[in-house]
Amino acid sequence: MIVTKQISLKTQGNCDIVDITPQVEQKLAETEINSGTAILFIAGSTAGISTIEYESGLVADFQRMWERNVPQGIPYDHDRRWGDGNGHAHVRASLLGASLVVPFTGRRLSLGTWQQIIVVDFDNRPRSRQVVMQIMGE
Ligand code: ZN
């Protein structure tokens, strides 16, 4: 069986990191599927999905890593062409990736104890986002 769900969220942009684990667990609980795979995909080219230990120190470390490696305030061809000032956001999003696969068994996600699912919004303004969750299994 395949079930497709949508998770809606609002972000502050500017490397806002949102823990969506409760919403993912909720959507899985709404199905009758016991074991399988959940694919999470975020639509848009300035946000990505990953996992992290969601505590404030590591969240700040992760945000600083992006600023060191793909900084704002340097020239981007994308900004020259479009003037929207978010060239860094697009590059960061491509590097992080737009999807995540999470297996589940016994109706429970196979996450580590200190591992949460996050959306990282790199855009330079607040955004409304849609995460598509496709659940495959039996
Ligand atoms: Zn852009």
Side-chain angles (χ1 to χ4, degrees):
M1 189 194 303
I2 301 176
V3 177
T4 304
K5 302 273 187 179
Q6 298 266 354
I7 296 169
S8 301
L9 63 149
K10 291 192 186 308
T11 78
Q12 296 306 306
N14 297 299
C15 218
D16 192 13
I17 299 179
V18 182
D19 177 6
I20 63 165
T21 313
Q23 292 95 317
V24 173
E25 289 173 338
Q26 173 64 35
K27 297 296 180 186
L28 182 62
E30 291 171 7
T31 75
E32 302 293 311
I33 304 175
N34 283 304
S35 294
T37 304
I39 294 175
L40 297 160
F41 177 83
I42 188 156
S45 60
T46 52
I49 294 187
S50 188
T51 67
I52 200 169
E53 179 179 341
Y54 195 83
E55 60 88 13
S56 60
L58 192 56
V59 166
D61 290 334
F62 198 52
Q63 289 167 328
R64 281 195 296 269
M65 181 281 293
W66 288 109
E67 195 54 43
R68 282 194 306 274
N69 289 284
V70 189
Q72 303 180 62
I74 64 171
Y76 288 90
D77 284 358
H78 176 78
D79 295 340
R80 264 196 294 275
R81 180 158 301 155
W82 299 104
D84 56 0
N86 66 356
H88 66 287
H90 290 283
V91 174
R92 291 176 184 188
S94 293
L95 193 54
L96 184 59
S99 66
L100 181 73
V101 174
V102 185
F104 61 95
T105 55
R107 302 175 64 78
R108 291 178 59 94
L109 298 169
S110 305
L111 292 170
T113 306
W114 309 108
Q115 182 180 28
Q116 283 77 42
I117 300 167
I118 52 168
V119 165
V120 186
D121 198 327
F122 298 112
D123 214 344
N124 55 358
R125 60 191 172 87
R127 297 287 305 262
S128 294
R129 297 290 189 181
Q130 297 290 326
V131 174
V132 179
M133 180 176 175
Q134 198 155 63
I135 305 158
M136 290 162 285
E138 57 185 19

